[in-house]
Amino acid sequence: MAYNSTTIPHHHHPTTSASHSHGGGMGNMMMHMTFYFGFKNVELLFSGLVINTAGEMAGAFVAVFLLAMFYEGLKIARESLLRKSQVSIRYNSMPVPGPNGTILMETHKTVGQQMLSFPHLLQTVLHIIQVVISYFLMLIFMTYNGYLCIAVAAGAGTGYFLFSWKKAVVVDITEHCH
């Protein structure tokens, strides 16, 4: 198996060819298994997307940072859209024990949406996009490149900070189980 001479000494086996490579199609790229900080020969998601300069790494850092921020915003946006698109509302009453042996009636609101509706179709498409982005971010983190890992974490943290404060939290003051 032949590797780039800047990463590992060059090993050549006479029977090794492109069709017998053990690198899983990585060519001359080495897969790091520990965290490192560098910008030479950093393969990013696709075989043709290789970072080789500090400027390319800076651009990749910004792009990954924005992708992680977008991911957090997308999660919050989907929650908001779901709340706005809930159409079927039912009220269920149930008896609960009250003070001094009395029985109180609690009413709970149950909401849902229809499967064959535009809001549900939109939620499905946004869910697919969210899953793909989450796997891209995971694979970027798994490059073990310190700069890219920091970009993922910082982008996710910034996105959460910017978007999650709008998230409504419902607190049921009648909840008896703590």
Side-chain angles (χ1 to χ4, degrees), residues 11-128:
H11 297 286
H12 182 72
H13 192 277
T15 60
T16 302
S17 68
S19 63
H20 291 101
S21 173
H22 297 288
M26 289 177 55
N28 289 336
M29 304 302 289
M30 185 185 90
M31 184 173 171
H32 289 268
M33 298 305 291
T34 57
F35 287 100
Y36 70 100
F37 285 89
F39 55 84
K40 297 280 187 199
N41 295 323
V42 179
E43 199 167 30
L44 186 61
L45 295 177
F46 303 99
S47 61
L49 190 54
V50 180
I51 299 167
N52 281 308
T53 67
E56 290 173 350
M57 179 57 78
F61 184 97
V62 170
V64 169
F65 179 90
L66 292 174
L67 184 65
M69 253 181 56
F70 175 75
Y71 173 74
E72 291 298 324
L74 180 59
K75 288 192 316 184
I76 301 302
R78 281 192 58 222
E79 287 179 19
S80 176
L81 283 173
L82 182 62
R83 280 193 299 276
K84 289 178 183 176
S85 68
Q86 295 169 334
V87 291
S88 59
I89 301 173
R90 281 189 325 225
Y91 293 93
N92 300 323
S93 295
M94 58 187 293
V96 292
N100 303 326
T102 60
I103 301 293
L104 301 175
M105 294 301 284
E106 268 189 11
T107 303
H108 298 274
K109 184 167 90 169
T110 304
V111 294
Q113 67 187 103
Q114 296 172 337
M115 185 171 78
L116 297 176
S117 65
F118 178 74
H120 185 64
L121 177 64
L122 180 62
Q123 281 287 341
T124 302
V125 170
L126 292 176
H127 177 74
I128 292 168

